[in-house]
Amino acid sequence: MSSSASALTQKASSATFGGLIKGQRKISSKSLRSSKTTTKAAVSVPTTLKTGVVTGSDFIDVMNHARHHGYAIPAVNCTMSSVTNACLEAAKVANAPMIIQFSHGGGLNFAGKGLSNEDQKAAVTGCVAEALRVRELAKLYGVPVILHTDHCAKNLLGWFDGLLEANEKYFKEHGEPLFTSHMLDLFEENLEICQKYLKRMKAINCFLEMEIGITGGEEDGVDNSDVAPEDLYSKPEEIHDVYKALQPIAPDFYSIAAAFGNVHGVYAPGNVKLTPTILGNAQKYIIEKEGITGQEKPVYFVFHGGSGSSRAEIREAISYGVIKMNIDTDTQWSMWEGVRDYEAKNNGYLQTQIGNPEGADKPNKKFYDPRAWMRSAELATVKRLQGAYEDLNAIGACAK
């Protein structure tokens, strides 16, 4: 992938940690009461990062390391074990952290589409089962791995509650949550519900991601294709409102996915107008209003819908405090691209069980074995993710 086109022609989707203000919805004064922070101690930067699945302070170390060294971490929506495996392999090749995240739909796919999802049991169990698998495998790859879940609107809070119950159970047994973090999309009640959940999550060292404003386009059942253009851009005051609401509950233990024109999906170049300076202005605004000293980027930002953005735009966003960029559309395509190319290369061996260009009695089992064409999909995705790591300035991050 070239430096100018690497992330350019495809608009990678995915999500951030927890959601809130839709457009300019009013936030209650009750949500915003907090004591004012006047100073922040200089953030220590670890020289080594824990490998395997990281949570709590180990996860904060990874984010501070990324912020200090000027890189961000790709977050991929994994919907089957082959996608997960490709992400782990890509992280090992890049020697950099990886965020593996599951959506509600992804959880259903892991559980099996033939199951009923009554009481969200299948969606919860699918996510938990794959998280446990990742925990075992991540030990072998030698890089930090973050386990996260993606979009959760109000109608899916049963799923979110089930995941938190699984985290609390795991915490009792192992002293850490099963997942590193979770995201919420709550546009109406927003802050008050997110505050409630953050209190519960902080008790088990589970991190929260919040979305402010709206990421346009469509992603895994969340459709914002018709949103008003002005709602795609957050204001510094809105971001500060979130800071004031969450900082007293769990200081620096949440991230914000602010809207700066980013859109889910794939769009022709020029159709998406990113304004990363929104993030930089918000950091300055919060520093000024809170009287913060000793830290230039008090907020961890998340970048939704990174594909289709130029490398320059991505790195500008990183310079303003982005530490995570979500990818879904691009990796869906790379998985398919791998299968498509495999079929084109081996077409003559994939038409019947017996009989191919080498002879009418020659067997084709090794060609149509799912492991063969899925491996091609994995390798194409590993390649695509190396381009993402390059865009994010994260190649070799663990050695920085």
Side-chain angles (χ1 to χ4, degrees), residues 12-233:
S13 49
S14 190
T16 335
F17 299 51
L20 54 93
I21 310 166
K22 184 173 186 178
Q24 299 183 34
R25 295 190 185 279
K26 184 177 180 181
I27 304 171
S28 70
S29 57
K30 177 182 177 182
S31 298
L32 302 179
R33 294 190 192 117
S34 65
S35 57
K36 190 161 186 172
T37 303
T38 54
T39 60
K40 279 178 179 270
V43 176
S44 62
V45 180
T47 56
T48 59
L49 299 174
K50 180 182 176 182
T51 61
V53 172
V54 294
T55 64
S57 61
D58 293 321
F59 173 48
I60 297 298
D61 280 348
V62 173
M63 292 200 297
N64 287 340
H65 187 269
R67 183 164 60 183
H68 177 78
H69 291 288
Y71 70 89
I73 307 165
V76 179
N77 278 39
C78 296
T79 53
M80 62 179 73
S81 60
S82 289
V83 182
T84 304
N85 291 351
C87 290
L88 292 170
E89 184 174 349
K92 181 177 176 63
V93 171
N95 191 27
M98 167 60 72
I99 300 174
I100 289 175
Q101 58 190 28
F102 312 136
S103 65
H104 178 266
L108 288 174
N109 207 54
F110 282 121
K113 286 298 191 70
L115 288 175
S116 163
N117 193 38
E118 184 178 359
D119 297 326
Q120 299 293 340
K121 186 173 182 179
V124 171
T125 304
C127 290
V128 168
E130 184 66 0
L132 290 169
R133 192 182 80 91
V134 170
R135 275 192 165 272
E136 287 302 308
L137 292 177
K139 302 171 186 176
L140 306 178
Y141 283 84
V143 294
V145 176
I146 293 94
L147 274 171
H148 178 61
T149 60
D150 207 0
H151 292 286
C152 178
K154 185 179 179 182
N155 65 316
L156 297 180
L157 284 179
W159 172 58
F160 195 89
D161 288 334
L163 293 171
L164 283 190
E165 289 170 7
N167 278 313
E168 289 164 342
K169 180 177 183 294
Y170 195 90
F171 184 86
K172 288 181 180 179
E173 297 171 356
H174 302 279
E176 65 174 341
L178 174 60
F179 288 86
T180 309
S181 53
H182 296 289
M183 174 190 177
L184 284 171
D185 293 272
L186 299 173
F187 296 126
E188 297 294 342
E189 297 79 4
N190 53 63
L191 276 175
E192 291 185 4
I193 289 182
C194 289
Q195 284 176 311
K196 180 188 72 173
Y197 276 114
L198 182 56
K199 289 176 184 177
R200 184 176 172 187
M201 293 168 70
K202 185 63 175 70
I204 56 171
N205 293 325
C206 194
F207 191 91
L208 174 68
E209 180 181 342
M210 290 194 81
E211 187 174 56
I212 302 178
I214 303 171
T215 301
E218 190 275 335
E219 154 67 7
D220 207 355
V222 179
D223 191 349
N224 293 322
S225 301
D226 298 324
V227 69
E230 61 270 19
D231 289 345
L232 298 177
Y233 301 91

